[in-house]
Amino acid sequence: IEKVDLLYSAIDASKIFVATVPDHADRSIMNVCFVLKPEYKDLEKDFLDFATSKGIVGIKGHRSVGGFRASLYNALPIESVKVLTDAMKEFQDKL
């Protein structure tokens, strides 16, 4: 719960990212899907490249939908979520 709260809080506070499921009650606690807001959609590849440069892999969303998906399975430490949220903030702050 701590991991998912951390990630959704970062997404909800972001000026460029948005959760694909707006209703908090319907959001997954295992697979967090999010996208760039429409005005930033063209930066999707740039963010993926930036995330990869930070050691973050496997967050690319479905090939026909795009966006991003972070899987928060039990074995994933909270430090990994912090790396992702820090990268999201750093990428956003560069804009």
Side-chain angles (χ1 to χ4, degrees):
I1 298 301
E2 187 178 356
K3 293 183 287 192
V4 75
D5 287 346
L6 178 64
L7 183 50
Y8 277 126
S9 292
I11 294 167
D12 292 341
S14 175
K15 70 177 184 181
I16 66 170
F17 296 102
V18 64
T20 58
V21 179
D23 188 350
H24 291 239
D26 295 331
R27 291 177 170 179
S28 173
I29 62 169
M30 262 321 144
N31 293 297
V32 177
C33 296
F34 58 104
V35 295
L36 286 162
K37 292 180 179 178
E39 61 269 32
Y40 299 101
K41 178 74 174 153
D42 59 328
L43 298 176
E44 189 170 301
K45 183 181 180 327
D46 294 337
F47 177 68
L48 282 172
D49 291 344
F50 181 77
T52 300
S53 77
K54 298 289 185 181
I56 302 164
V57 296
I59 64 165
K60 185 175 181 180
H62 191 275
R63 68 181 174 271
S64 65
V65 178
F68 315 99
R69 184 182 93 171
S71 295
L72 306 179
Y73 298 111
N74 292 339
L76 183 80
I78 193 161
E79 291 78 20
S80 294
V81 180
K82 289 178 182 174
V83 168
L84 174 57
T85 58
D86 288 348
M88 293 166 65
K89 176 114 176 60
E90 184 179 344
F91 183 81
Q92 171 183 281
D93 290 347
K94 288 182 167 193
L95 300 179

